[in-house]
Amino acid sequence: MLRSLYYFELVRMFGNIPLILKTIKYDDDYWNIPQAKPSEIYTQIENDIVAAIPDLMMTASGNDRGRITQEQPKRYWGKSIFTIKRCPKQQLSWLK
């Protein structure tokens, strides 16, 4: 979930950004990582959010107050849909 949040803010601010999905090792050419198109970044954001939702609790109560629940990733995905001007009816059907 955190990676999707960070990528969402980065792509909104800078547009084309590097999409790094694996650990960069010391001998990798990290100075020449190609930039990905915003559409690829938003696809990865969606994949990260969809993968995270089943692992999160439905509601937080008691000692769990303040922890992330299933509602927050859904809201960020909705926000990213409106940012890239996708049709909400098609993309938000799984949020119910």
Side-chain angles (χ1 to χ4, degrees), residues 50-68:
V50 170
I53 288 174
D55 296 332
L56 298 172
M57 62 182 98
M58 291 291 288
T59 59
S61 61
N63 289 338
D64 289 331
R65 286 201 179 275
R67 296 186 70 186
I68 191 170

Side-chain angles (χ1 to χ4, degrees), residues 46 73-82 86-96:
E46 178 182 11
K74 292 177 182 180
R75 290 177 190 228
Y76 270 103
W77 177 236
K79 190 174 180 181
S80 70
I81 289 170
F82 289 116
R86 288 189 183 174
C87 179
K89 288 183 180 179
Q90 294 172 352
Q91 295 296 324
L92 295 177
S93 62
W94 65 274
L95 294 178
K96 297 177 183 176

Side-chain angles (χ1 to χ4, degrees):
M1 176 60 207
L2 289 177
R3 179 172 65 185
S4 62
L5 175 63
Y6 297 147
Y7 271 116
F8 177 66
E9 295 299 333
L10 286 169
V11 76
R12 281 183 37 203
M13 285 190 275
F14 302 110
N16 292 346
I17 58 173
L19 179 60
I20 301 170
L21 300 176
K22 63 180 180 91
T23 304
I24 298 175
K25 298 179 182 172
Y26 71 93
D27 58 347
D28 288 340
D29 185 16
Y30 52 85
W31 290 107
N32 296 311
I33 298 173
Q35 293 184 350
K37 296 177 185 173
S39 61
E40 296 172 16
I41 302 294
Y42 283 112
T43 300
Q44 186 60 44
I45 291 170
E46 178 182 11
N47 293 341
D48 287 347
I49 289 174
V50 170
I53 288 174
D55 296 332
L56 298 172
M57 62 182 98
M58 291 291 288
T59 59
S61 61
N63 289 338
D64 289 331
R65 286 201 179 275
R67 296 186 70 186
I68 191 170
T69 63
Q70 289 185 4
E71 191 65 28
Q72 285 84 13
K74 292 177 182 180
R75 290 177 190 228
Y76 270 103
W77 177 236
K79 190 174 180 181
S80 70
I81 289 170
F82 289 116
T83 301
I84 59 174
K85 298 175 180 68
R86 288 189 183 174
C87 179
K89 288 183 180 179
Q90 294 172 352
Q91 295 296 324
L92 295 177
S93 62
W94 65 274
L95 294 178
K96 297 177 183 176

